[in-house]
Every structure is written in C-alpha cells, then in structure tokens.
C-alpha cells in the first residue's frame, strides 16, 4: 500500500501517540503485569492499524474524487480500457484483431 504525503504525515502523527503507549505496555509487561501490558500493546497497535483501514466521513470526498478521476482518465494503472481491466469494445467483444492477425487469416 503506497502512502501519499498526507497519509505519511498522518501516520507520523499517530506514531507520536502510539509509541509511548506501546512503551508503557512493554514496561508493564516487563514489570509483571502481563495482562495490562498486553492490553496497552494491543491499543497501540490498533491506534496505527485502524486509521489506515477504516473509512471515516472525512475520507469519503477524497475517495469519491479519486474514483471520478480514475473514471475520467480511463482505467486504473493503464490496464485495458474497460472498468474491469479488460480490453473490450462497446459490444463486449474482445479487442479487435491486429493487422498481423488479419493478414495471417487471409
């Protein structure tokens, strides 16, 4: 998963808060409170993981704009012309035969 600049800044801000929580969890686990330490480690991991996976209301306009841009510019990653990445014409048939194929058939 490639992160853009804003995503990287968001991840850095999340890590600023998650690293101390994880460090506290490690200290608690090393001090004998395994359950409390493990709970804090899980919280720290979720602080990093969930914002990357969940769609928030603030993400919806950006995702809609990205989808509209992909639709306007054609298929994603230059894979064919169809929405599913296939190279089909309007009738649903495969791509037309090339000149070399047409010459071989004649």
């Amino acid at each position: 998963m490639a992160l853009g600049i804003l995503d990287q800044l968001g991840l850095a801000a999340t890590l600023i808060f998650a690293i101390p929580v994880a460090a506290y969890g490690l200290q608690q686990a090393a001090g004998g409170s395994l359950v409390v330490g493990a709970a804090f480690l899980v919280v720290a991991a979720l602080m990093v993981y969930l914002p990357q996976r969940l769609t928030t209301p603030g993400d919806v306009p950006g995702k809609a704009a990205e989808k509209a841009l992909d639709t306007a510019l054609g298929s994603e990653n230059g894979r064919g012309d169809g929405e599913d990445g296939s190279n089909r014409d309007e009738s649903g048939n495969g791509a037309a035969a090339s000149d070399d194929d047409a010459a071989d058939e004649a």
Side-chain angles (χ1 to χ4, degrees):
M1 170 174 74
L3 297 177
I5 292 173
L6 293 178
D7 293 330
Q8 289 178 0
L9 290 174
L11 179 60
T14 301
L15 288 174
I16 288 172
F17 294 103
I19 289 173
V21 173
Y24 182 73
L26 288 174
Q27 287 178 347
Q28 290 296 314
S33 299
L34 292 178
V35 174
V36 174
F40 276 100
L41 287 172
V42 168
V43 167
L46 289 175
M47 287 173 67
V48 175
Y49 179 75
L50 289 179
Q52 300 297 320
R53 295 290 173 213
L54 294 179
T55 300
T56 62
D59 296 336
V60 173
K63 288 186 183 239
E66 181 179 335
K67 187 174 181 179
L69 185 62
D70 286 343
T71 302
L73 295 177
S75 65
E76 188 174 315
N77 297 329
R79 302 175 310 175
D81 294 332
E83 287 183 17
D84 61 351
S86 64
N87 195 8
R88 299 180 183 269
D89 58 11
E90 287 95 18
S91 66
N93 296 327
S98 66
D99 293 336
D100 293 335
D101 293 336
D104 290 340
E105 292 176 4

